Every structure is written in structure tokens, then in C-alpha cells.
Amino acid sequence: MRALTPEILDFLAPEDPRAQRSRRDLARINGVMRQSAIMARALAACPAPRLLADLGGGDGRFLLRVAQRMAGRWPGVRAVILDRQDIVSEKTRAGFAALGWSCETLQGDIFETLPQIQPDIVTANLFLHHLDDAALRRLLNLVASRSRAFVACEPRRSAFALLGARLVFALGANDVTRHDAVASVQAGFRDLDLSLLWPKDRAWICRESGAFPFSQVFYALASSSEAIGHKNAL
Ligand SMILES: C[S@@+](CC[C@H](N)C(=O)[O-])C[C@H]1O[C@@H](n2cnc3c(N)ncnc32)[C@H](O)[C@@H]1O
């Protein structure tokens, strides 16, 4: 069973030094988890988007890593980072611009901001696990009604991932990150958790699996889209 515990980072102001340190830890943890590589591999099966929305995208550094992997085949994408906090730095924005992508932010609760846009592709990295199953079902319905492809990279709810979360102190992670890493795994996903919450009322190609070392990946592509080798996406 998923166990949801509030994450400390969600309650800290953006300028709080503990929050800033934890965001830096998060960038390092994303690297150890291979999140941008896993996300890019799944995205490679999707047709090039004009508008890509990253849910709970935080400081945008994760999406920038993904953009660095995708920009060669997807030029000129308009990326929108949706988050409660508007914390994308000038340096990160410049990173997108250097790739020929634009980067915008949409600040607020996801249920208020997502209905304002119509993205071709929606991504979520280490975000969905913040929501309980009822809210997730609502969010996934919203995503399915507004886009043609969705990829999520989330913590895997496994003993191995829990061990990894308990060892983040070895990366120099602060108290916020050490707490939130364990909470994230306990609220994470396994088996077909996300597939079972995805709406059934339209034809979608869906895949869900574990991804080495600590992640769970879910991918949904509207079956009318021109999938590119989607069988190898995960
Ligand atoms: C664990 S962080 C992940 C950030 C980013 N995806 C990354 O990989 O670095 C989760 C993010 O979700 C945001 N968040 C949590 N609940 C939210 C909500 N209901 N609406 C919008 N953003 C939310 C938080 O502000 C935080 O930036």
C-alpha cells in the first residue's frame, strides 16, 4: 500500500536555505536515479511536441537535462514548468534558450494551472507521488483530456529503493532531503499502480515498468498519435 507523509520541502519558502540546499540535493539525486535518461528514453517514442508541460517541475533543472537530450531531434519546443513555486533561475532559462527551446513558468496548484494550457506532451518527475489515489485519478483524467502523450518517472515503492533513500546522507543530503527521500519511496509506485489510475475511456497505448535503479516509469500515448518505436520506450 502507498503511504503518504507530507514532504518538508513542500512547506518551506523558496528562499529558505534548507529548501535551497534540498533542491540542490534533488538535482544530485535525479542524476543518481538516472531520471533524465529514463525520461528521454520514454519521450523518444513520442512525436515532437510544440508545447511540453512539466508538472511539479520545481526549479526546472530536471527538464533542462531532458531538453539537452532531446533538443537534437525536437527543435524549438516551448516548455512550460508548472509548480506551486516560481523558482526557475535565469541560468536555467538561459540553458533552455541555448538549446533553441523557450521556457515559461505557470505558478500555482496543478489543478488550477494545467487547465490553462493544452500541451502536446505532459511530463512529471518525482511529482505524482505527492498525491493520493483520488487526486491522482483526477489529475490523470485532466492530463488525458488535454494532451496526447504523458510520461511520468516516479520513485519505485520497493525495498531496494527504500534502502537507496535511507542512504542519501552519503551524498551529503540535508535533513529535509533525508526525510523526503524516504517519504517519496513510501508514497511511490509499483506493479501497475499508475496504469490502473489512468482513464479507460479513450484509446491509449500504455506501458508501466520499473527502471533501474530506483524508478517506476509510466507512459501513455494517444493511439491515434504516430508512435515511434513505442514498444522499446521503457
Ligand atoms: C520532489 S519536487 C520535484 C521537482 C522536480 N520535478 C525535480 O525533479 O527536480 C516536487 C515538486 O512538486 C511541487 N508541488 C507539490 N505539490 C504541488 C501541487 N499540488 N501543485 C503544483 N506543484 C506542486 C513542489 O513545489 C516541488 O517543486
Side-chain angles (χ1 to χ4, degrees):
M1 293 288 280
R2 301 181 61 215
L4 263 73
T5 313
E7 294 188 25
I8 299 172
L9 184 58
D10 288 344
F11 296 94
L12 298 178
E15 59 280 3
D16 186 318
R18 287 169 76 217
Q20 291 177 349
R21 168 76 183 277
S22 185
R23 296 265 177 203
R24 285 199 297 274
D25 294 342
L26 202 48
R28 210 168 315 135
I29 288 170
N30 270 328
V32 171
M33 292 178 76
R34 302 177 47 253
Q35 293 293 85
S36 61
I38 294 168
M39 176 68 79
R41 181 175 158 86
L43 286 174
C46 306
R50 276 168 303 175
L51 178 61
L52 183 152
D54 190 34
L55 309 183
D59 60 19
R61 277 190 281 184
F62 166 75
L63 190 61
L64 177 58
R65 295 277 167 272
V66 175
Q68 285 163 345
R69 292 173 182 274
M70 301 303 297
R73 73 178 87 176
W74 289 358
V77 173
R78 183 179 156 216
V80 184
I81 292 165
L82 289 73
D83 202 283
R84 273 195 190 128
Q85 299 185 345
D86 189 351
I87 49 172
V88 180
S89 69
E90 282 311 315
K91 187 176 167 204
T92 299
R93 288 173 197 273
F96 281 102
L99 297 170
W101 285 31
S102 67
C103 165
E104 297 157 41
T105 53
L106 210 42
Q107 184 179 10
D109 186 82
I110 210 69
F111 289 102
E112 282 159 23
T113 51
L114 183 55
Q116 296 172 29
I117 54 176
Q118 192 90 46
D120 304 295
I121 296 181
V122 175
T123 56
N125 186 66
L126 305 184
F127 168 67
L128 298 184
H129 69 275
H130 288 248
L131 305 177
D132 64 29
D133 282 5
L136 251 180
R137 195 182 288 280
R138 210 177 124 215
L139 179 64
L140 296 183
N141 262 296
L142 192 57
V143 170
S145 70
R146 306 197 69 73
S147 69
R148 304 185 55 71
F150 177 59
V151 182
C153 271
E154 291 293 317
R156 186 162 168 77
R157 201 170 74 255
S158 70
F160 187 56
L162 192 57
L163 177 66
R166 291 198 168 121
L167 291 176
V168 296
F169 71 88
L171 299 172
N174 75 353
D175 62 315
V176 175
T177 313
R178 292 198 301 270
H179 171 275
D180 289 357
V182 171
S184 300
V185 170
Q186 291 169 337
F189 304 96
R190 59 182 302 160
D191 303 325
L192 295 178
D193 284 351
L194 288 164
S195 309
L196 293 171
L197 293 168
W198 185 258
K200 306 281 179 292
D201 58 350
R202 228 173 92 187
W204 291 88
I205 299 162
C206 295
R207 300 269 184 277
E208 181 168 7
S209 70
F212 182 79
F214 304 122
S215 306
Q216 180 83 354
V217 193
F218 173 74
Y219 158 106
L221 181 68
S223 59
S224 53
S225 298
E226 254 182 59
I228 306 157
H230 68 84
K231 287 191 181 108
N232 301 320
L234 299 185

